[in-house]
Amino acid sequence: MASQHPYRRTPWTNAKAPDLATFEALASETFAQLPNEVLMQCGHVQISLAEYADDDVLNALGIEDPSELLGLFEGSGLAQDGGSNFTGKLPNRIWLFRRPILDYWASGEETLGDIVAHVLIHEIGHHFGLSDEDMERIEEAADVQML
């Protein structure tokens, strides 16, 4: 059935899903706005982007649906001696996965920039040696203070 409304163009008419370059720009923007004390501790962290996590990663984490993993920290957190650079040791790396982030964005009310920032900052928390539980407590405390 055809629409009864006249044809009109919206900002979304020709819009396409943001590509990896756009995600890199969002992540770079977020990263640049972090406090200097945090940036100084992130000096050798690499930020990488991919459509999805590799099957090997998903299998190692016991994740069946690749859309469930929005980001990943690889390496040793600073609390676990991740701050020292030994020869032959790969630098810590943060992965952002475009398609799962887009799926999450499409299903909610948050802006894409806020989601990318949240995932990036969450993974930086792992670089600092924080667990998921630690970060949940920090977020809950921040939510209470915002009320």
Side-chain angles (χ1 to χ4, degrees), residues 7-26:
Y7 177 75
R8 53 185 177 213
R9 296 184 73 77
T10 72
W12 291 96
T13 301
N14 294 318
K16 296 180 181 176
D19 59 9
L20 287 173
T22 302
F23 271 71
E24 183 177 11
L26 289 169

Side-chain angles (χ1 to χ4, degrees), residues 33-128:
Q33 293 177 16
L34 293 173
N36 284 334
E37 312 78 68
V38 173
L39 291 174
M40 298 278 290
Q41 296 295 318
C42 292
H44 297 290
V45 174
Q46 292 181 353
I47 299 172
S48 300
L49 298 107
E51 292 295 319
Y52 289 102
D54 291 336
D55 287 339
D56 292 341
V57 169
L58 295 170
N59 290 337
L61 295 172
I63 297 174
E64 292 183 23
D65 181 357
S67 294
E68 291 180 11
L69 188 61
L70 280 62
L72 178 70
F73 171 76
E74 288 182 330
S76 298
L78 293 178
Q80 292 80 32
D81 199 30
S84 57
N85 289 324
F86 298 111
T87 303
K89 180 180 167 188
L90 295 173
N92 285 344
R93 178 179 292 184
I94 291 171
W95 285 96
L96 301 177
F97 302 117
R98 186 183 83 94
R99 295 289 302 274
I101 290 173
L102 286 176
D103 288 348
Y104 183 86
W105 172 55
S107 68
E109 299 287 324
E110 296 175 76
T111 67
L112 182 58
D114 284 347
I115 296 167
V116 170
H118 180 83
V119 174
L120 178 64
I121 291 168
H122 180 93
E123 300 310 330
I124 289 171
H126 288 309
H127 167 69
F128 281 99

